[in-house]
Amino acid sequence: MNIDFITKQDLMDFKDEFFKELESFMKNQSGTPTKRWLKSYEVRELLGISPGTLQNLRINGTLPFTKVGGLMFYDFEDVRKLMESGK
């Protein structure tokens, strides 16, 4: 049986590579999104996060949002800035 160990440096390298690829992907998109305001499910898909993680980003103020009725809306620029910051 072959056992591979993952070091902290391996994880840091993976993180750096992931964000570089994500940034490259975002740059290759057709420029600005078709709409400025995104719903929660769109932000979760874009960031690849769970509903709980998105809630934590709202609660701790990392990702600003606007609540209209029962829906949460996020400015695409705020999501883009979050992605660029690497948080």
Side-chain angles (χ1 to χ4, degrees):
M1 182 164 88
N2 188 10
I3 299 175
D4 293 326
F5 291 99
I6 298 175
T7 65
K8 188 174 182 178
Q9 185 60 44
D10 292 335
L11 292 174
M12 296 299 289
D13 292 342
F14 174 77
K15 181 188 88 162
D16 292 339
E17 183 180 328
F18 174 78
F19 280 114
K20 284 179 186 175
E21 287 183 27
L22 189 58
E23 181 180 13
S24 174
F25 174 77
M26 293 299 294
K27 285 183 181 178
N28 291 333
Q29 294 297 319
S30 62
T32 58
T34 57
K35 56 186 178 179
R36 177 178 175 191
W37 296 98
L38 304 173
K39 292 181 180 177
S40 293
Y41 78 91
E42 294 169 315
V43 174
R44 290 194 321 263
E45 286 179 7
L46 187 62
L47 298 177
I49 58 175
S50 69
T53 300
L54 182 56
Q55 181 178 5
N56 286 335
L57 292 174
R58 284 194 310 263
I59 290 170
N60 66 25
T62 304
L63 184 60
F65 67 97
T66 300
K67 186 173 183 180
V68 179
L71 297 175
M72 308 286 188
F73 291 93
Y74 307 84
D75 189 334
F76 178 79
E77 281 302 310
D78 291 333
V79 175
R80 186 186 61 75
K81 288 176 188 174
L82 177 67
M83 292 171 68
E84 287 180 354
S85 73
K87 291 185 178 181

